[in-house]
Amino acid sequence: MTIGLSTYLIYLALSVALTIWVARTLHKNGRDFLIDVFHGNDALADSVNHLLVVGFYLINFGYISLALKLGYAIETAEQSVEALSVKIGMVLLVLGGMHLFNLFVFSRMRRRSTAQHQPPPVGPDAFTPVQQEAA
């Protein structure tokens, strides 16, 4: 096995493992948040959580596949480590971006959900008649 092939295999293994770890973390911790957003509707929260994780996997595995090509030959161990650091660093940035996007979506859902179930900020205290000007 060449050093180039080893680099590709290490990249794939690390990228897939990191993606699975982040997705499982999001799935596990996102469930409680979604149950709160959906006011205790466990089935809906689990369904949305699952769909978000599937989308997360599709986007990240797609990126990992597209970023597989290096564009140059790896001939030394030093080049292999450098290539791996760039590739894994990019995967980590994409995973972090996807995590922030998920948090943004969750917070928007929660804000919208809580705003619909709150009383108006100031209750009416009296009726103000409308006066029309004489023409």
Side-chain angles (χ1 to χ4, degrees):
M1 184 174 351
T2 66
I3 194 162
L5 182 58
S6 299
T7 303
Y8 285 126
L9 293 176
I10 292 169
Y11 163 73
L12 285 172
L14 287 174
S15 298
V16 168
L18 286 168
T19 299
I20 291 171
W21 174 71
V22 172
R24 286 185 177 178
T25 301
L26 289 173
H27 187 263
K28 184 179 94 175
N29 296 317
R31 182 180 190 277
D32 294 335
F33 186 81
L34 287 172
I35 288 172
D36 181 49
V37 168
F38 294 118
H39 306 290
N41 188 343
D42 290 0
L44 182 59
D46 288 339
S47 177
V48 169
N49 198 14
H50 182 73
L51 291 172
L52 286 170
V53 169
V54 168
F56 182 83
Y57 276 131
L58 290 173
I59 289 171
N60 284 295
F61 287 150
Y63 175 77
I64 290 166
S65 297
L66 290 173
L68 183 63
K69 183 176 180 180
L70 280 175
Y72 57 90
I74 296 175
E75 298 171 2
T76 66
E78 182 179 313
Q79 289 175 334
S80 175
V81 170
E82 289 173 357
L84 278 173
S85 71
V86 170
K87 294 294 187 183
I88 296 299
M90 291 301 293
V91 168
L92 289 172
L93 287 174
V94 169
L95 288 171
M98 289 298 299
H99 175 65
L100 290 176
F101 177 74
N102 274 341
L103 289 177
F104 174 74
V105 169
F106 284 170
S107 68
R108 292 288 306 249
M109 289 170 62
R110 187 166 194 272
R111 186 178 320 137
R112 191 172 293 157
S113 172
T114 57
Q116 291 174 351
H117 292 90
Q118 289 186 354
V122 177
D125 58 355
F127 174 74
T128 306
V130 177
Q131 297 179 358
Q132 296 181 354
E133 295 181 23

